């Protein structure tokens, strides 16, 4: 009998340990269902052992405490993440400002000490290039025209100088011829005078 009683106590202790481990592993709702299933019926009421109720209350309180700890941990994590998000948003705003400044700087350039838009700069530069090209063509045509006029004037001057030189030579020859004729006439006159 002692042997049977010892086996019964040993089996009962294993059952209680198994129930304890099962109750902690099972959810609160599962524990309530298990408590109702294991309790006795009396008319329309359930008779529940006080130890089982206390154990369920203890498990519920532990679960609530763990949930509260999780909630506190999650809330502190949310606060940390919110502050991190706020700092990242501020950093992003600063980066966006820098990016817009860089884009504005990229789309503009310093021209004669003034920050100008690239399209305006291109327009001004190509206008200046076009004006210089027009002036180059205009001045080239004027130079060509003046050069042709100068060549014609030089040619006319050379012709006139040749004619003048020819005229000078002819007039010198004529003067020499007249001078000889005059000398001949003087000689004739002196001879006539001397013959008288």
């Amino acid at each position: 009998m002692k042997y049977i009683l010892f086996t019964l106590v040993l089996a009962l202790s294993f059952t209680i340990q198994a129930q304890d481990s099962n109750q902690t592993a099972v959810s609160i709702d599962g524990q309530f269902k298990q408590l109702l299933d294991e309790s006795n019926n009396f008319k329309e009421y359930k008779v529940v052992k006080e130890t089982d109720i206390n154990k369920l209350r203890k498990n519920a309180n532990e679960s609530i405490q763990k949930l509260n700890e999780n909630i506190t941990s999650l809330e502190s994590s949310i606060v940390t993440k919110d502050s991190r998000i706020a700092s990242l948003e501020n950093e992003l705003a600063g980066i966006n400002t820098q990016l817009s400044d860089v884009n504005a700087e990229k789309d503009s350039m310093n021209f004669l000490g003034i920050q100008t838009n690239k399209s305006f700069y291109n327009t001004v530069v190509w206008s200046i290039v076009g004006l210089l090209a027009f002036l180059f063509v205009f001045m080239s045509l004027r130079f060509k025209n003046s050069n042709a006029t100068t060549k014609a004037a030089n040619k006319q001057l050379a012709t006139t100088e040749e004619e003048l030189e020819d005229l000078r030579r002819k007039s010198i020859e004529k003067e020499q011829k007249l001078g000889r004729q005059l000398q001949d006439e003087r000689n004739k006159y002196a001879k006539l005078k001397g013959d008288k």
Side-chain angles (χ1 to χ4, degrees):
M1 180 114 178
K2 285 185 181 182
Y3 180 69
I4 293 175
L5 188 60
F6 177 72
T7 341
L8 188 61
V9 169
L10 189 60
L12 187 61
S13 69
F14 281 131
T15 308
I16 290 172
Q17 284 179 354
Q19 284 179 352
D20 284 346
S21 65
N22 282 346
Q23 285 179 349
T24 56
V26 178
S27 69
I28 299 292
D29 187 46
Q31 290 178 26
F32 270 111
K33 287 179 184 175
Q34 184 178 0
L35 180 67
L36 289 174
D37 289 343
E38 292 175 356
S39 62
N40 296 326
N41 290 333
F42 177 72
K43 296 185 182 180
E44 59 185 69
Y45 302 106
K46 284 280 191 179
V47 178
V48 180
K49 292 180 185 175
E50 190 176 338
T51 57
D52 290 344
I53 287 254
N54 285 335
K55 196 180 286 183
L56 180 61
R57 193 180 97 227
K58 179 184 166 200
N59 288 340
N61 284 336
E62 286 175 359
S63 293
I64 289 171
Q65 185 178 357
K66 284 181 185 176
L67 289 173
N68 284 337
E69 289 172 2
N70 282 345
I71 288 171
T72 305
S73 171
L74 290 173
E75 284 176 347
S76 68
S77 175
I78 287 172
V79 167
T80 305
K81 288 181 181 176
D82 283 346
S83 66
R84 179 70 179 140
I85 287 171
S87 69
L88 288 175
E89 285 175 347
N90 289 337
E91 189 177 332
L92 180 64
I95 288 173
N96 283 339
T97 303
Q98 289 176 350
L99 180 63
S100 63
D101 290 345
V102 166
N103 283 338
E105 189 176 318
K106 183 185 79 167
D107 290 338
S108 64
M109 60 188 332
N110 196 359
F111 180 65
L112 301 175
I114 302 169
Q115 199 72 11
T116 58
N117 192 333
K118 279 189 178 177
S119 61
F120 176 74
Y121 171 78
N122 286 339
T123 303
V124 169
V125 167
W126 284 111
S127 298
I128 291 171
V129 168
L131 179 65
L132 290 175
F134 172 75
L135 287 175
F136 176 74
V137 169
F138 178 73
M139 295 306 276
S140 295
L141 291 175
R142 292 280 309 247
F143 174 76
K144 197 173 186 181
N145 189 19
S146 297
N147 195 22
T149 304
T150 304
K151 282 183 180 178
N154 283 341
K155 190 174 182 182
Q156 183 69 32
L157 178 64
T159 306
T160 305
E161 283 178 350
E162 284 178 15
E163 288 176 358
L164 182 64
E165 191 61 38
D166 192 37
L167 186 63
R168 213 182 277 154
R169 191 176 32 83
K170 285 182 181 176
S171 94
I172 288 175
E173 286 176 4
K174 192 175 188 181
E175 189 178 312
Q176 287 174 350
K177 188 177 178 184
L178 284 176
R180 271 186 249 131
Q181 282 178 354
L182 180 65
Q183 190 61 39
D184 288 342
E185 291 298 318
R186 278 186 190 160
N187 289 340
K188 279 186 195 176
Y189 179 70
K191 215 183 199 182
L192 282 178
K193 241 184 177 186
D195 282 340
K196 285 185 186 186

